[in-house]
Amino acid sequence: MRAQSSATSATAIAVGGPGTSLGTSSSGTLQAALGVVAFSLTFPATAWGLEGFGPWSLIAVRSILAAVIAGGCLLALRVPLPERRHWFGLAVVGGGVVLGFPLLTTLALQTSTTAHAAVVVGLLPLTTALLSALRLGSRPSRTFWIAALAGAAAVLAFTVQQSGGALTTADAYLFAALLVCAAGYTEGGRLARVMPGWQVIGWALVLCLPLTVPMAAVALSFEPVHLTAHSVTGLLWVAAGSQFLGLVVWYRGMAAIGIPKASQLQLAQPLLTLVWSVLLLGEHLTVAAPLTAAAVLVCIAVTQRARG
């Protein structure tokens, strides 16, 4: 009995079950930061995936694979269905982070480099904080907002400079992705206060299956597939890493330290993405990177200390 109880407790802690404590602010910050690291690999992994899959096929298949992982966990742990009052929020999460953001950014990456696409991630923390204030009534301090705006401006200046300042048709996809993802993060962070974070993204993924399964069937019939090491690795990462595991720790972190503060950790995401782009895709990084990184880290430190 004692062994069984220990195993049950370990399982609950691993997946963020009812018996799990979200821990101190530092542990919440660590979990949110791990989510940012996972997300920073999304654009390079998507670029790899596009080497073998069409954009619609890649989005549909990655969502289905992530839903299979999430659904398996929900079934194995016999998690009951969410209360009816949570279904709208889960639908917002599904539309924003399961379908909207991946689809729009994948379409953008067909004609945009990962460096240029990273501009949307640079603006995402500020947009998430704004939507959080509107949706949840949070009121971060003036210091918080000054640091957040400064960090967003630094990232924007860096990413625009990297792309040469040219605006392309991909920008429409990127700005739309910014809005839907911020809405999904805000609603997901709210739900993660009343249910484990992994269940938030798990149910959102399962909820999207009636859309993603037919989408995959149609897309795969029209878009040719060329399986390579890069395309398979990219698909597996965006499905398991970005779409599920990354969002699990991200929502847990948001629930622990609050949506506005967690969102500011994403200021580091564009710079991490650029590092991965150099290492994995061979893109070039200018000397402006360390200067921007220093400015962003200062802004993150200020926002983490500012009281909302």
Side-chain angles (χ1 to χ4, degrees), residues 18-19 37 47 49 51 56 69 80 86 90 92-93 101 117-118 128 169-170 192 196 233 235 237 264 297 300 308:
V37 173
E51 293 180 12
W56 294 91
I69 298 172
H86 297 321
L90 291 171
V92 174
V93 175
F101 185 79
T128 302
T169 55
T233 301
L235 171 63
W237 178 257
Q264 300 315 303
L297 290 176
I300 291 176

Side-chain angles (χ1 to χ4, degrees), residues 15 22 28 31-40 42 62-63 66-67 70 90 92-102 124 180-189 191-192 195-206 208 237-255 262 266 269:
V15 299
L22 288 175
Q31 290 180 90
L34 289 174
V36 170
V37 173
F39 300 153
S40 71
T42 300
R62 70 178 272 186
S63 297
L90 291 171
V92 174
V93 175
V97 302
V98 175
L99 293 177
F101 185 79
L124 188 56
V180 298
C181 189
Y185 279 173
T186 298
E187 203 65 24
L191 288 172
M195 68 173 70
W198 77 275
Q199 292 183 23
V200 174
I201 186 58
W203 286 119
L205 285 163
V206 172
C208 290
W237 178 257
V238 294
S242 302
Q243 194 87 68
F244 183 64
L245 296 177
L247 285 168
V248 167
V249 292
W250 173 245
Y251 282 139
R252 283 169 59 92
M254 281 200 295
Q266 284 193 309
Q269 186 173 326

Side-chain angles (χ1 to χ4, degrees), residues 127-208:
T127 307
T128 302
L130 286 170
L131 289 184
S132 172
L134 294 173
R135 176 70 174 89
L136 307 178
S138 60
R139 294 293 183 269
S141 67
R142 181 179 299 179
T143 301
F144 177 95
W145 286 115
I146 292 174
L149 287 170
V155 172
L156 258 179
F158 177 68
T159 50
V160 169
Q161 185 270 336
Q162 287 289 293
S163 65
L167 297 178
T168 67
T169 55
D171 290 313
Y173 292 129
L174 294 174
F175 285 116
L178 169 70
L179 293 175
V180 298
C181 189
Y185 279 173
T186 298
E187 203 65 24
R190 183 186 67 82
L191 288 172
R193 296 176 179 176
V194 296
M195 68 173 70
W198 77 275
Q199 292 183 23
V200 174
I201 186 58
W203 286 119
L205 285 163
V206 172
L207 188 64
C208 290

